[in-house]
Amino acid sequence: MRCGRSFLLVLSASVLLATRPTGATGAAERTCPSSATLEALVACLRDQMPSRGSGTFVAPSFAEMSAWRSVASAMLRGDCGFALPYSLSLFVQIRRFRDADNGRSYCVLMETADWNGDGVVDRGFGAFIVDASAERELSHQVSHPIADAGTETQAVTVFKKTRSRTFLLAGAHRDARPGEGGFHGVSASSDATRNAATMFHTTHVEVMAHYGEKPWWAIQWHGMAEDTCAPVDVHLSHGVGTPPAGEDKILELRKNLLAREPTWRIGVAGSRACSLNATSNVQGRLLNSAPMEWGFGSAAAPPPRRSRRFVHIEQHPGFRDPERWIAPVLATWP
């Protein structure tokens, strides 16, 4: 048994090292060293991730996802100054980041490896940022960077200025590997809303585990084309098609938005104005359904009111200014 275990360890190390070309021309670590604010850091991360049709996205292995979860768990407990597991250390970096605007310190986990030196990170892992002294248990998530233009800096600004707990960024354009979509398991799909085998979804799972039954909300920031859902400017849902009722958070968010932006046309799930209700979103499906029992072939079941923790925001291009969202978010989650 010992010989077999040693052989597997050596084999695993060999596979990992094989992904790191030796003597690659221009090999570099993309650490965004000149970024002084979270907005600048996230813009840098966006600009060096795999783009549409690039063919660059590597679904993480089970071991890599497990290691990533362990790192995310430590970050959520307030730790940041520790060594990464070996399975991740070839590709990612963890560090403290002090924002020049507010002087606050954040813990950042981000992909950095660019072993072929093409200016683009190699895997599409993305990034996770934690504010250990947060005031709000909100997770601001951007699953479609580049594609949903501007949502990266919008979400991180709202995260920063509302003193929320976490910010989560997918690691590649949703169509970096076009035509290879999948809902479950190890898939080549780079669309983080449709593939559970991504570090984006892995982090979401760990955030869920961290909170357990404690109240928190995952807010996913999305963008729709100007000619999509023309009757509305903004559309809110929980990842289900049923209309919200009672003291629902998306109704409260709509009320607080309209109090400051009375000309905005804001739709919610259940209306005929827009059908972008994110019913196939794997993060929403997991958060809305029973623990780890989520079916991918049908629409998500309406969640109990107490579990409506998933907030999905669709916006036309002219409605992604973070400064217009900060006060409504503060009022909705005081």
Side-chain angles (χ1 to χ4, degrees):
M1 289 297 292
R2 288 182 178 177
C3 291
R5 184 176 299 172
S6 299
F7 173 76
L8 288 174
L9 289 172
V10 170
L11 180 61
S12 297
S14 299
V15 170
L16 284 168
L17 290 171
T19 65
R20 178 179 180 173
T22 57
T25 301
E29 283 195 291
R30 304 292 169 185
T31 60
C32 300
S34 63
S35 300
T37 64
L38 286 179
E39 289 86 351
L41 176 64
V42 167
C44 177
L45 294 173
R46 175 201 62 210
D47 293 344
Q48 64 190 27
M49 66 176 56
S51 60
R52 182 177 186 178
S54 63
T56 302
F57 174 76
V58 179
S61 67
F62 179 79
E64 289 169 340
M65 288 189 286
S66 296
W68 186 280
R69 279 195 64 175
S70 71
V71 173
S73 177
M75 293 170 67
L76 287 163
R77 295 194 304 270
D79 296 336
C80 195
F82 57 89
L84 289 167
Y86 178 75
S87 60
L88 298 179
S89 62
L90 299 177
F91 312 112
V92 305
Q93 176 192 83
I94 187 169
R95 61 167 166 150
R96 293 195 182 276
F97 181 91
R98 184 171 296 278
D99 187 279
D101 283 344
N102 60 17
R104 292 173 61 79
S105 180
Y106 302 86
C107 188
V108 177
L109 177 65
M110 53 185 279
E111 181 180 8
T112 59
D114 173 21
W115 299 117
N116 62 5
D118 64 354
V120 175
V121 293
D122 299 327
R123 308 283 294 241
F125 281 177
F128 183 48
I129 303 175
V130 175
D131 182 350
S133 56
E135 296 179 348
R136 287 168 182 79
E137 302 306 330
L138 303 179
S139 178
H140 296 276
Q141 305 180 353
V142 179
S143 53
H144 293 153
I146 309 174
D148 293 355
T151 56
E152 314 92 350
T153 50
Q154 177 191 26
V156 79
T157 299
V158 176
F159 158 74
K160 183 171 82 171
K161 294 192 176 183
T162 60
R163 297 188 65 169
S164 297
R165 181 69 60 186
T166 65
F167 171 80
L168 178 56
L169 180 69
H173 190 288
R174 64 183 299 176
D175 295 323
R177 296 287 293 267
E180 296 184 342
F183 279 113
H184 191 263
V186 177
S187 165
S189 172
S190 53
D191 186 343
T193 67
R194 301 180 68 83
N195 183 14
T198 63
M199 290 310 194
F200 183 91
H201 186 74
T202 297
T203 311
H204 179 81
V205 172
E206 187 54 42
V207 173
M208 282 184 61
H210 172 76
Y211 285 109
E213 294 300 315
K214 297 177 182 177
W216 71 287
W217 286 264
I219 304 176
Q220 274 198 16
W221 300 83
H222 290 261
M224 55 185 172
E226 195 68 67
D227 58 353
T228 302
C229 296
V232 300
D233 304 311
V234 173
H235 184 72
L236 309 173
S237 75
H238 286 299
V240 296
T242 52
E247 298 178 356
D248 191 289
K249 279 294 181 183
I250 65 173
L251 292 180
E252 189 174 350
L253 179 58
R254 182 176 69 171
K255 179 190 71 175
N256 290 325
L257 279 166
L258 289 172
R260 293 159 178 83
E261 307 290 346
T263 63
W264 285 19
R265 301 170 302 161
I266 304 174
V268 296
S271 70
R272 296 182 180 181
C274 185
S275 61
L276 298 182
N277 295 317
T279 56
S280 63
N281 183 297
V282 294
Q283 292 81 48
R285 296 175 76 87
L286 180 58
L287 195 50
N288 285 337
S289 60
M292 303 310 294
E293 293 183 1
W294 41 332
F296 293 102
S298 59
R305 284 177 58 186
R306 65 176 177 81
S307 71
R308 293 193 175 202
R309 307 284 186 206
F310 183 71
V311 178
H312 184 270
I313 300 174
E314 289 281 0
Q315 318 154 80
H316 283 149
F319 297 82
R320 302 174 197 175
D321 178 357
E323 299 299 332
R324 303 176 79 173
W325 285 85
I326 291 165
V329 169
L330 290 172
T332 305
W333 289 276

